Amino acid sequence: MTTVPTGKDKFPESAVEVHDKNVPSVAGETLRPMPSARIRMAGRSRLAFSMPTGEEDLAFTIEAILDACRRWPMQLDVNAVPDPSLFRLEDQVALDSWLSHLAASGSWAQAAETLLSALGGSSANQSAMAGAAHRVAAKAIDAMRLGKTRGIEGVLRQAMNEELDVFAEHVAPLVETAQRDVATAALSLMTTQAIATYRTGSAFIDLLKDFPFLTVIFSPHQPAHNVTALELPYRLFLSPVPDSRWHHGTKPITRHERTELWHTRLTSTAADVGPDGPTRIRALWSPDYGLPGIVGIVNDNKPFRMSLDPLDREMLVKLMSGFDEITNNRRPFHPRTAEARRLALSSLGALLDAEGSWVPPGPNKISLEQWRHVATFGRDHYVRVVYRGFLKEFGHAASLIKVTERKFETHPETQHRVAVLRQRFFIVVRQPLKHYDGRGHAYGGRPFPFTDVEILTKVTPSLLAPDDLKCRLSDPAGTIYNPGTGVPNRACFWPMTSKTNNFLFQIAATDLSGDRVTFAMPLLFVGLEANENPTVLAEIIKQNNLTPASPRRTASLGNASVCYAPIKVGAEGDPRLPTASMVFKTALLAPNSVSLDEAQFYPEVEQASVGIAAIQRLLQKPDAMVDVSYPEVYKTTAGGFGGANAGEVFLKLQQPFDLAFGDAVKSDALGGLATPSMAIQGLSRIMGPVAAQKPAIPDPNAIELALKNVVSNKFNPADFFDGAKILGASTSKICWIWSPDSLAPTSQSS
């Protein structure tokens, strides 16, 4: 009878009495539940090996099996291939070593052999198919060498159909559709093997999409039962690539009377001693790949908040095994492996230290650009996921970073030390300085007075989770945060440090005259998924522009000088104005004007609070400010001036600014005999402040209409003066002369 050890006998290495946890020490005592956390365990992993040709048997012992696992090559999935490497020779001939390695791999040969076996497997079938493959390959090579890659798909399909017709007539009848499909797949594989032996003028990987069945073969798929597949981490199946091996002891290893836990380590070195070399790995598959409603699942944090959400896992599969993906510029995407600095397997779970980075251009709607994962014995310690995006209003490239870390904390109820996973978000500015040239903007960027904007903030502090309701932009139509659009909530949010505080980015802007001003304001984060979706982005711009100006769209400039239009030497009007504050908005760029890897929006100034020096001097009020905006005529006129804008008006007031001479200012102080009343409603580069008859409804559109004579460079005294009172003269016999320097009218006899 076996005796179950108790107390300190459970742990003989302990010198003190060991008590079971969460067990009452006093009869009738009620204990609180132990702290718990929700977890998900990964499923089974498997290692598959191919017996070398020279070996015919293997002893059925632990030592022999473990030794074989160190020596035998791994059986890998067809997608578990090294990264493509393209070499240019002196005669500009390209060798795609990736394709050569792939076509010569055991996985590829096994797939071709399996397909041929389904057709009968005879030597006649194999010989006929090999000849057909070489003929199709020759046509493909000729087309590539002549640069006739456009339409190559039709040529290849026709050539393959002709070969299959001959095959069916003279070698093996293909009476069923399924048989012809199998023959087509076999011919595709063998044609690829034939092409791999040629030197072609371009990377063959770029032409994979033009070969029937190859995109199906190369697309992410669930690994077969006879290939290596490691579910590490949860719901993500990784695989080593060739040129890596497993290293482990074949017998128990005991040191200082302790026997270590058996484990095996993946390495790229051939030696059994010394440090393990880094290896390359690919994410082959995830059950979340193509999962219906995946964005809604991510937005709802189902089953609970995790270090990798389902969308993260799907994106990792596409980035590492998406050979069928297309980039934003409609070119084939080249998946890249991740590096494993450490990958070890044990009966208590896996150890992983892996990192992958992917630079643009990437697949459509894939925002993930970096992944770092550190896990020990199947438990995550540090996971970092980086998402590409942009900061609105100004379009700087930025990255949203999600970090999940294991932290030791004191449980508030039990006072026990527990290790829990904590998740935090922050933003890193990837493009601190951005230049603006008006490209893609409807008005050539004229409603924006800055040529360069630099974001001085490089990294934000920890932010409120992007899925918090306080961080959301208004979405009355349910367009932005609709899971059906494929845009997750994290792709549009206001960075906030708490539920009541927006994070303020420090910004420096260079205006049209070269002067630099600094200010701080919140900036909306727009993820790559939203940036690539025209419908969602248009709604984001619309709702952001409708957001109340203060505090999220307003920047305080502290009366710094800003140049609102190009300076004209010798002109009476100075476009440089002291600016108290500025309200920004954005406009959608013209389609295809810039790459989708750039922000699809352009900043504008909605309005600004400025001081007009002449008015301030006249009224002796240095704090007198007016609200201005860009007139439509300045925006729509090429270059802003000339043509329809002969009067060179570059700003219009939001409300008329009344100058009531005689009451507020004595007429004799003006050097004239008149006490007129006028309403300043615009600023001209050649005339300075300009007046016009006050419109019945003083809104910005009516003000611009009232300025039509000034815009056309026509002078009408009635536009300048309202209710003029002339001392000792009749208004019909007075000619008023406008003096832009003093804003005071002078008179002379008519």
Side-chain angles (χ1 to χ4, degrees), residues 678-718:
M678 57 181 71
I680 302 300
Q681 300 183 61
L683 295 173
S684 164
R685 188 171 68 164
I686 60 176
M687 290 181 278
V690 291
Q693 288 291 321
K694 293 174 61 175
I697 302 175
D699 62 33
N701 292 331
I703 287 175
E704 184 163 352
L705 183 61
L707 290 170
K708 63 180 183 300
N709 284 333
V710 177
V711 168
S712 302
N713 201 21
K714 297 178 181 178
F715 178 75
N716 184 354

mmCIF file of all heavy atoms in Angstrom, residues 678-718:
data_model
loop_
_atom_site.group_PDB
_atom_site.id
_atom_site.type_symbol
_atom_site.label_atom_id
_atom_site.label_comp_id
_atom_site.label_asym_id
_atom_site.label_seq_id
_atom_site.Cartn_x
_atom_site.Cartn_y
_atom_site.Cartn_z
ATOM 1 N N MET A 678 -16.989 102.934 -39.216
ATOM 2 C CA MET A 678 -16.679 101.910 -40.209
ATOM 3 C C MET A 678 -16.535 100.561 -39.525
ATOM 4 O O MET A 678 -16.314 100.472 -38.314
ATOM 5 C CB MET A 678 -15.414 102.279 -40.985
ATOM 6 C CG MET A 678 -14.175 102.497 -40.144
ATOM 7 S SD MET A 678 -12.743 102.959 -41.144
ATOM 8 C CE MET A 678 -13.199 104.616 -41.647
ATOM 9 N N ALA A 679 -16.662 99.488 -40.327
ATOM 10 C CA ALA A 679 -16.600 98.122 -39.804
ATOM 11 C C ALA A 679 -15.496 97.365 -40.535
ATOM 12 O O ALA A 679 -15.601 97.096 -41.735
ATOM 13 C CB ALA A 679 -17.941 97.424 -39.996
ATOM 14 N N ILE A 680 -14.433 97.035 -39.809
ATOM 15 C CA ILE A 680 -13.339 96.257 -40.380
ATOM 16 C C ILE A 680 -13.815 94.811 -40.518
ATOM 17 O O ILE A 680 -14.300 94.207 -39.564
ATOM 18 C CB ILE A 680 -12.090 96.326 -39.489
ATOM 19 C CG1 ILE A 680 -11.663 97.783 -39.302
ATOM 20 C CG2 ILE A 680 -10.949 95.512 -40.097
ATOM 21 C CD1 ILE A 680 -11.320 98.482 -40.590
ATOM 22 N N GLN A 681 -13.649 94.231 -41.732
ATOM 23 C CA GLN A 681 -14.163 92.882 -41.962
ATOM 24 C C GLN A 681 -13.172 91.976 -42.683
ATOM 25 O O GLN A 681 -13.495 90.825 -42.956
ATOM 26 C CB GLN A 681 -15.474 92.956 -42.766
ATOM 27 C CG GLN A 681 -16.568 93.749 -42.031
ATOM 28 C CD GLN A 681 -17.872 93.748 -42.783
ATOM 29 O OE1 GLN A 681 -18.449 92.694 -43.017
ATOM 30 N NE2 GLN A 681 -18.349 94.925 -43.146
ATOM 31 N N GLY A 682 -11.989 92.467 -42.985
ATOM 32 C CA GLY A 682 -11.014 91.626 -43.651
ATOM 33 C C GLY A 682 -9.627 92.201 -43.588
ATOM 34 O O GLY A 682 -9.415 93.336 -43.128
ATOM 35 N N LEU A 683 -8.657 91.394 -44.040
ATOM 36 C CA LEU A 683 -7.258 91.805 -44.095
ATOM 37 C C LEU A 683 -6.730 91.529 -45.487
ATOM 38 O O LEU A 683 -6.853 90.413 -46.015
ATOM 39 C CB LEU A 683 -6.424 91.045 -43.059
ATOM 40 C CG LEU A 683 -6.745 91.309 -41.585
ATOM 41 C CD1 LEU A 683 -5.968 90.365 -40.695
ATOM 42 C CD2 LEU A 683 -6.441 92.753 -41.227
ATOM 43 N N SER A 684 -6.132 92.578 -46.096
ATOM 44 C CA SER A 684 -5.578 92.466 -47.431
ATOM 45 C C SER A 684 -4.070 92.619 -47.365
ATOM 46 O O SER A 684 -3.547 93.411 -46.585
ATOM 47 C CB SER A 684 -6.174 93.540 -48.345
ATOM 48 O OG SER A 684 -5.412 93.690 -49.519
ATOM 49 N N ARG A 685 -3.378 91.870 -48.222
ATOM 50 C CA ARG A 685 -1.925 91.967 -48.222
ATOM 51 C C ARG A 685 -1.455 93.287 -48.819
ATOM 52 O O ARG A 685 -0.381 93.776 -48.460
ATOM 53 C CB ARG A 685 -1.322 90.788 -48.997
ATOM 54 C CG ARG A 685 0.186 90.691 -48.882
ATOM 55 C CD ARG A 685 0.740 89.430 -49.470
ATOM 56 N NE ARG A 685 0.594 89.400 -50.936
ATOM 57 C CZ ARG A 685 1.267 88.545 -51.719
ATOM 58 N NH1 ARG A 685 2.095 87.656 -51.184
ATOM 59 N NH2 ARG A 685 1.092 88.560 -53.026
ATOM 60 N N ILE A 686 -2.227 93.911 -49.699
ATOM 61 C CA ILE A 686 -1.792 95.158 -50.333
ATOM 62 C C ILE A 686 -2.428 96.388 -49.698
ATOM 63 O O ILE A 686 -1.991 97.506 -49.940
ATOM 64 C CB ILE A 686 -2.100 95.142 -51.846
ATOM 65 C CG1 ILE A 686 -3.600 94.976 -52.100
ATOM 66 C CG2 ILE A 686 -1.317 94.040 -52.544
ATOM 67 C CD1 ILE A 686 -3.986 95.056 -53.570
ATOM 68 N N MET A 687 -3.477 96.216 -48.870
ATOM 69 C CA MET A 687 -4.159 97.360 -48.272
ATOM 70 C C MET A 687 -4.173 97.332 -46.755
ATOM 71 O O MET A 687 -4.492 98.331 -46.126
ATOM 72 C CB MET A 687 -5.605 97.427 -48.791
ATOM 73 C CG MET A 687 -5.720 97.810 -50.255
ATOM 74 S SD MET A 687 -7.440 97.913 -50.800
ATOM 75 C CE MET A 687 -7.793 96.195 -51.111
ATOM 76 N N GLY A 688 -3.879 96.177 -46.148
ATOM 77 C CA GLY A 688 -3.979 96.081 -44.704
ATOM 78 C C GLY A 688 -5.414 95.811 -44.289
ATOM 79 O O GLY A 688 -6.181 95.165 -45.022
ATOM 80 N N PRO A 689 -5.859 96.327 -43.127
ATOM 81 C CA PRO A 689 -7.248 96.116 -42.702
ATOM 82 C C PRO A 689 -8.202 96.819 -43.664
ATOM 83 O O PRO A 689 -7.985 97.972 -44.054
ATOM 84 C CB PRO A 689 -7.298 96.736 -41.306
ATOM 85 C CG PRO A 689 -5.877 96.832 -40.869
ATOM 86 C CD PRO A 689 -5.073 97.033 -42.102
ATOM 87 N N VAL A 690 -9.278 96.116 -44.054
ATOM 88 C CA VAL A 690 -10.242 96.679 -44.998
ATOM 89 C C VAL A 690 -11.634 96.604 -44.394
ATOM 90 O O VAL A 690 -11.971 95.677 -43.652
ATOM 91 C CB VAL A 690 -10.201 95.942 -46.348
ATOM 92 C CG1 VAL A 690 -8.897 96.225 -47.077
ATOM 93 C CG2 VAL A 690 -10.369 94.440 -46.165
ATOM 94 N N ALA A 691 -12.418 97.627 -44.736
ATOM 95 C CA ALA A 691 -13.779 97.723 -44.213
ATOM 96 C C ALA A 691 -14.783 97.470 -45.320
ATOM 97 O O ALA A 691 -14.452 97.484 -46.514
ATOM 98 C CB ALA A 691 -14.006 99.097 -43.592
ATOM 99 N N ALA A 692 -16.016 97.235 -44.927
ATOM 100 C CA ALA A 692 -17.113 97.039 -45.865
ATOM 101 C C ALA A 692 -18.411 97.314 -45.138
ATOM 102 O O ALA A 692 -18.445 97.395 -43.900
ATOM 103 C CB ALA A 692 -17.092 95.620 -46.430
ATOM 104 N N GLN A 693 -19.478 97.477 -45.909
ATOM 105 C CA GLN A 693 -20.789 97.663 -45.309
ATOM 106 C C GLN A 693 -21.158 96.428 -44.496
ATOM 107 O O GLN A 693 -20.994 95.295 -44.956
ATOM 108 C CB GLN A 693 -21.845 97.900 -46.395
ATOM 109 C CG GLN A 693 -21.744 99.272 -47.053
ATOM 110 C CD GLN A 693 -22.130 100.385 -46.093
ATOM 111 O OE1 GLN A 693 -23.075 100.242 -45.302
ATOM 112 N NE2 GLN A 693 -21.412 101.493 -46.147
ATOM 113 N N LYS A 694 -21.654 96.647 -43.319
ATOM 114 C CA LYS A 694 -22.003 95.532 -42.450
ATOM 115 C C LYS A 694 -23.168 94.748 -43.054
ATOM 116 O O LYS A 694 -24.191 95.322 -43.416
ATOM 117 C CB LYS A 694 -22.369 96.036 -41.059
ATOM 118 C CG LYS A 694 -21.195 96.637 -40.307
ATOM 119 C CD LYS A 694 -21.619 97.266 -38.993
ATOM 120 C CE LYS A 694 -22.230 96.243 -38.067
ATOM 121 N NZ LYS A 694 -22.540 96.842 -36.741
ATOM 122 N N PRO A 695 -23.033 93.424 -43.158
ATOM 123 C CA PRO A 695 -24.133 92.630 -43.694
ATOM 124 C C PRO A 695 -25.288 92.559 -42.703
ATOM 125 O O PRO A 695 -25.113 92.745 -41.494
ATOM 126 C CB PRO A 695 -23.496 91.259 -43.923
ATOM 127 C CG PRO A 695 -22.367 91.205 -42.947
ATOM 128 C CD PRO A 695 -21.852 92.607 -42.819
ATOM 129 N N ALA A 696 -26.487 92.284 -43.231
ATOM 130 C CA ALA A 696 -27.663 92.171 -42.366
ATOM 131 C C ALA A 696 -27.493 91.021 -41.384
ATOM 132 O O ALA A 696 -27.891 91.114 -40.226
ATOM 133 C CB ALA A 696 -28.913 91.981 -43.226
ATOM 134 N N ILE A 697 -26.908 89.909 -41.850
ATOM 135 C CA ILE A 697 -26.622 88.755 -40.979
ATOM 136 C C ILE A 697 -25.105 88.625 -40.921
ATOM 137 O O ILE A 697 -24.473 88.149 -41.873
ATOM 138 C CB ILE A 697 -27.251 87.466 -41.529
ATOM 139 C CG1 ILE A 697 -28.758 87.634 -41.687
ATOM 140 C CG2 ILE A 697 -26.931 86.285 -40.622
ATOM 141 C CD1 ILE A 697 -29.428 86.445 -42.327
ATOM 142 N N PRO A 698 -24.509 89.062 -39.834
ATOM 143 C CA PRO A 698 -23.035 89.120 -39.784
ATOM 144 C C PRO A 698 -22.389 87.757 -39.555
ATOM 145 O O PRO A 698 -21.827 87.484 -38.502
ATOM 146 C CB PRO A 698 -22.776 90.071 -38.615
ATOM 147 C CG PRO A 698 -23.957 89.872 -37.713
ATOM 148 C CD PRO A 698 -25.130 89.580 -38.605
ATOM 149 N N ASP A 699 -22.508 86.856 -40.538
ATOM 150 C CA ASP A 699 -21.800 85.583 -40.434
ATOM 151 C C ASP A 699 -20.627 85.592 -41.416
ATOM 152 O O ASP A 699 -20.546 86.452 -42.298
ATOM 153 C CB ASP A 699 -22.736 84.406 -40.692
ATOM 154 C CG ASP A 699 -23.339 84.422 -42.093
ATOM 155 O OD1 ASP A 699 -22.658 84.874 -43.028
ATOM 156 O OD2 ASP A 699 -24.495 83.993 -42.250
ATOM 157 N N PRO A 700 -19.685 84.636 -41.301
ATOM 158 C CA PRO A 700 -18.486 84.660 -42.160
ATOM 159 C C PRO A 700 -18.793 84.669 -43.654
ATOM 160 O O PRO A 700 -18.101 85.341 -44.423
ATOM 161 C CB PRO A 700 -17.736 83.390 -41.740
ATOM 162 C CG PRO A 700 -18.161 83.158 -40.322
ATOM 163 C CD PRO A 700 -19.595 83.589 -40.264
ATOM 164 N N ASN A 701 -19.823 83.947 -44.092
ATOM 165 C CA ASN A 701 -20.149 83.930 -45.525
ATOM 166 C C ASN A 701 -20.637 85.294 -45.999
ATOM 167 O O ASN A 701 -20.259 85.767 -47.078
ATOM 168 C CB ASN A 701 -21.202 82.863 -45.807
ATOM 169 C CG ASN A 701 -20.663 81.460 -45.594
ATOM 170 O OD1 ASN A 701 -19.466 81.211 -45.765
ATOM 171 N ND2 ASN A 701 -21.537 80.545 -45.215
ATOM 172 N N ALA A 702 -21.498 85.945 -45.178
ATOM 173 C CA ALA A 702 -21.998 87.269 -45.549
ATOM 174 C C ALA A 702 -20.878 88.301 -45.527
ATOM 175 O O ALA A 702 -20.852 89.230 -46.340
ATOM 176 C CB ALA A 702 -23.123 87.672 -44.597
ATOM 177 N N ILE A 703 -19.941 88.134 -44.617
ATOM 178 C CA ILE A 703 -18.807 89.061 -44.551
ATOM 179 C C ILE A 703 -17.962 88.954 -45.813
ATOM 180 O O ILE A 703 -17.543 89.966 -46.385
ATOM 181 C CB ILE A 703 -17.973 88.780 -43.287
ATOM 182 C CG1 ILE A 703 -18.736 89.275 -42.038
ATOM 183 C CG2 ILE A 703 -16.605 89.443 -43.375
ATOM 184 C CD1 ILE A 703 -18.045 88.946 -40.743
ATOM 185 N N GLU A 704 -17.717 87.734 -46.279
ATOM 186 C CA GLU A 704 -16.924 87.585 -47.503
ATOM 187 C C GLU A 704 -17.648 88.191 -48.699
ATOM 188 O O GLU A 704 -17.017 88.792 -49.573
ATOM 189 C CB GLU A 704 -16.622 86.113 -47.762
ATOM 190 C CG GLU A 704 -15.728 85.912 -48.965
ATOM 191 C CD GLU A 704 -15.088 84.532 -49.013
ATOM 192 O OE1 GLU A 704 -15.215 83.779 -48.029
ATOM 193 O OE2 GLU A 704 -14.441 84.220 -50.029
ATOM 194 N N LEU A 705 -18.972 88.075 -48.732
ATOM 195 C CA LEU A 705 -19.739 88.689 -49.814
ATOM 196 C C LEU A 705 -19.648 90.210 -49.755
ATOM 197 O O LEU A 705 -19.540 90.887 -50.791
ATOM 198 C CB LEU A 705 -21.199 88.237 -49.744
ATOM 199 C CG LEU A 705 -22.122 88.738 -50.854
ATOM 200 C CD1 LEU A 705 -21.631 88.245 -52.220
ATOM 201 C CD2 LEU A 705 -23.557 88.287 -50.596
ATOM 202 N N ALA A 706 -19.657 90.755 -48.528
ATOM 203 C CA ALA A 706 -19.556 92.204 -48.376
ATOM 204 C C ALA A 706 -18.200 92.727 -48.828
ATOM 205 O O ALA A 706 -18.063 93.899 -49.190
ATOM 206 C CB ALA A 706 -19.811 92.586 -46.917
ATOM 207 N N LEU A 707 -17.204 91.869 -48.825
ATOM 208 C CA LEU A 707 -15.851 92.275 -49.221
ATOM 209 C C LEU A 707 -15.600 92.113 -50.718
ATOM 210 O O LEU A 707 -14.449 92.205 -51.162
ATOM 211 C CB LEU A 707 -14.814 91.448 -48.452
ATOM 212 C CG LEU A 707 -14.673 91.723 -46.951
ATOM 213 C CD1 LEU A 707 -13.798 90.661 -46.301
ATOM 214 C CD2 LEU A 707 -14.107 93.110 -46.705
ATOM 215 N N LYS A 708 -16.649 91.893 -51.506
ATOM 216 C CA LYS A 708 -16.445 91.577 -52.918
ATOM 217 C C LYS A 708 -15.716 92.674 -53.667
ATOM 218 O O LYS A 708 -14.898 92.408 -54.556
ATOM 219 C CB LYS A 708 -17.785 91.272 -53.580
ATOM 220 C CG LYS A 708 -18.781 92.419 -53.617
ATOM 221 C CD LYS A 708 -20.079 91.981 -54.296
ATOM 222 C CE LYS A 708 -21.076 93.132 -54.429
ATOM 223 N NZ LYS A 708 -21.468 93.701 -53.133
ATOM 224 N N ASN A 709 -15.987 93.962 -53.344
ATOM 225 C CA ASN A 709 -15.294 95.045 -54.031
ATOM 226 C C ASN A 709 -13.812 95.067 -53.675
ATOM 227 O O ASN A 709 -12.947 95.309 -54.526
ATOM 228 C CB ASN A 709 -15.933 96.391 -53.702
ATOM 229 C CG ASN A 709 -17.242 96.595 -54.448
ATOM 230 O OD1 ASN A 709 -17.443 96.042 -55.529
ATOM 231 N ND2 ASN A 709 -18.142 97.370 -53.871
ATOM 232 N N VAL A 710 -13.516 94.828 -52.404
ATOM 233 C CA VAL A 710 -12.116 94.793 -51.976
ATOM 234 C C VAL A 710 -11.396 93.623 -52.647
ATOM 235 O O VAL A 710 -10.260 93.746 -53.110
ATOM 236 C CB VAL A 710 -12.016 94.694 -50.448
ATOM 237 C CG1 VAL A 710 -10.553 94.592 -50.014
ATOM 238 C CG2 VAL A 710 -12.683 95.876 -49.787
ATOM 239 N N VAL A 711 -12.080 92.466 -52.692
ATOM 240 C CA VAL A 711 -11.494 91.285 -53.327
ATOM 241 C C VAL A 711 -11.164 91.580 -54.787
ATOM 242 O O VAL A 711 -10.121 91.162 -55.312
ATOM 243 C CB VAL A 711 -12.448 90.083 -53.203
ATOM 244 C CG1 VAL A 711 -11.981 88.934 -54.100
ATOM 245 C CG2 VAL A 711 -12.527 89.621 -51.754
ATOM 246 N N SER A 712 -12.021 92.340 -55.449
ATOM 247 C CA SER A 712 -11.800 92.683 -56.859
ATOM 248 C C SER A 712 -10.882 93.882 -57.030
ATOM 249 O O SER A 712 -10.678 94.348 -58.150
ATOM 250 C CB SER A 712 -13.145 92.966 -57.534
ATOM 251 O OG SER A 712 -14.002 91.848 -57.434
ATOM 252 N N ASN A 713 -10.370 94.409 -55.912
ATOM 253 C CA ASN A 713 -9.478 95.575 -55.925
ATOM 254 C C ASN A 713 -10.190 96.814 -56.476
ATOM 255 O O ASN A 713 -9.612 97.613 -57.208
ATOM 256 C CB ASN A 713 -8.215 95.288 -56.732
ATOM 257 C CG ASN A 713 -7.085 96.237 -56.363
ATOM 258 O OD1 ASN A 713 -7.088 96.841 -55.276
ATOM 259 N ND2 ASN A 713 -6.103 96.381 -57.251
ATOM 260 N N LYS A 714 -11.466 96.955 -56.128
ATOM 261 C CA LYS A 714 -12.253 98.129 -56.498
ATOM 262 C C LYS A 714 -12.538 98.931 -55.238
ATOM 263 O O LYS A 714 -12.911 98.374 -54.208
ATOM 264 C CB LYS A 714 -13.559 97.720 -57.162
ATOM 265 C CG LYS A 714 -13.380 96.972 -58.485
ATOM 266 C CD LYS A 714 -14.722 96.558 -59.054
ATOM 267 C CE LYS A 714 -14.543 95.790 -60.359
ATOM 268 N NZ LYS A 714 -15.851 95.341 -60.906
ATOM 269 N N PHE A 715 -12.379 100.273 -55.324
ATOM 270 C CA PHE A 715 -12.590 101.136 -54.153
ATOM 271 C C PHE A 715 -13.950 101.823 -54.255
ATOM 272 O O PHE A 715 -14.263 102.470 -55.255
ATOM 273 C CB PHE A 715 -11.482 102.180 -54.042
ATOM 274 C CG PHE A 715 -11.692 103.115 -52.879
ATOM 275 C CD1 PHE A 715 -11.458 102.689 -51.597
ATOM 276 C CD2 PHE A 715 -12.134 104.416 -53.096
ATOM 277 C CE1 PHE A 715 -11.646 103.546 -50.524
ATOM 278 C CE2 PHE A 715 -12.330 105.265 -52.029
ATOM 279 C CZ PHE A 715 -12.090 104.835 -50.729
ATOM 280 N N ASN A 716 -14.748 101.648 -53.216
ATOM 281 C CA ASN A 716 -16.045 102.315 -53.112
ATOM 282 C C ASN A 716 -16.145 102.902 -51.714
ATOM 283 O O ASN A 716 -16.199 102.163 -50.735
ATOM 284 C CB ASN A 716 -17.180 101.327 -53.368
ATOM 285 C CG ASN A 716 -18.546 102.004 -53.371
ATOM 286 O OD1 ASN A 716 -18.670 103.197 -53.067
ATOM 287 N ND2 ASN A 716 -19.574 101.243 -53.709
ATOM 288 N N PRO A 717 -16.141 104.250 -51.579
ATOM 289 C CA PRO A 717 -16.187 104.856 -50.239
ATOM 290 C C PRO A 717 -17.349 104.358 -49.409
ATOM 291 O O PRO A 717 -17.236 104.231 -48.182
ATOM 292 C CB PRO A 717 -16.291 106.354 -50.530
ATOM 293 C CG PRO A 717 -15.712 106.519 -51.890
ATOM 294 C CD PRO A 717 -16.065 105.291 -52.633
ATOM 295 N N ALA A 718 -18.461 104.041 -50.066
ATOM 296 C CA ALA A 718 -19.622 103.581 -49.302
ATOM 297 C C ALA A 718 -19.343 102.257 -48.609
ATOM 298 O O ALA A 718 -19.985 101.926 -47.607
ATOM 299 C CB ALA A 718 -20.828 103.460 -50.234
#
